[in-house]
Amino acid sequence: MNIDFETMAVLEEESQNESLGGGAYGSTGASGVEGGERRESGKRGRRPGRKAQLDKQDMKAKLERSRQSARECRARKKLRYQYLEELVADRERAVLTLRKELDKYYKWNLELDQGRMPEGLDVMMQEIGVVKQEDAKF
């Protein structure tokens, strides 16, 4: 007599429901369904015989796919770090340029406070359009 595990579980549940006889738990069994019927969608746990389906070639192929995936992940990580390093280097260069410009403006401010015209200030003012070309000639 060959009975699969699901049928066996249903038979055991029905026998438990009959032995309870509608006591403190009422007519619902462990599955929560009235009348002792088992829901088919509630399959959980490991199934016997699943491990036997995987043979050595499948396992080797799975390991090779895993290795390839790891190689690709490392390559993506390397590219990401290279991109970030280039981004940091660009930002550091920008910071240095801005510091030099700030230092230049600081020195110009000191000279203006002393009543002198700093070198390059008139050229910069012409570039931004503060002083007209005609006024600069006089």
Side-chain angles (χ1 to χ4, degrees):
M1 181 172 166
N2 289 336
I3 298 177
D4 64 344
F5 288 104
E6 290 179 19
T7 308
M8 202 165 171
V10 170
L11 290 174
E12 286 179 3
E13 190 173 283
E14 287 176 357
S15 66
Q16 286 178 356
N17 285 340
E18 289 173 6
S19 65
L20 288 175
Y25 297 102
S27 63
T28 47
S31 66
V33 179
E34 298 265 341
E37 296 177 16
R38 183 170 175 88
R39 290 183 291 165
E40 291 297 320
S41 64
K43 298 177 184 177
R44 291 188 173 186
R46 293 183 58 186
R47 295 191 151 212
R50 295 284 294 193
K51 194 170 186 178
Q53 292 177 357
L54 297 175
D55 56 356
K56 272 190 170 180
Q57 290 180 347
D58 288 341
M59 197 59 125
K60 286 181 181 180
K62 184 177 178 181
L63 285 173
E64 185 56 37
R65 285 193 307 269
S66 176
R67 288 184 188 115
Q68 182 64 30
S69 176
R71 275 188 224 107
E72 291 171 0
C73 180
R74 287 189 294 269
R76 285 192 306 269
K77 184 177 180 181
K78 185 177 179 181
L79 286 173
R80 186 171 45 245
Y81 274 92
Q82 286 175 349
Y83 167 74
L84 290 173
E85 286 174 355
E86 289 175 8
L87 193 64
V88 167
D90 289 342
R91 298 287 166 92
E92 286 176 347
R93 283 191 292 273
V95 166
L96 288 175
T97 304
L98 290 172
R99 282 190 179 158
K100 287 179 183 177
E101 189 175 353
L102 181 65
D103 189 43
K104 178 177 73 171
Y105 293 146
Y106 180 74
K107 288 178 183 176
W108 284 3
N109 190 24
L110 289 177
E111 287 188 30
L112 287 171
D113 285 345
Q114 294 173 357
R116 296 185 304 221
M117 184 69 153
E119 295 178 17
L121 180 63
D122 53 348
V123 175
M124 186 196 71
M125 292 177 78
Q126 288 175 0
E127 288 176 359
I128 61 173
V130 174
V131 178
K132 294 182 180 177
Q133 295 285 342
E134 299 166 0
D135 294 339
K137 292 181 181 176
F138 294 113

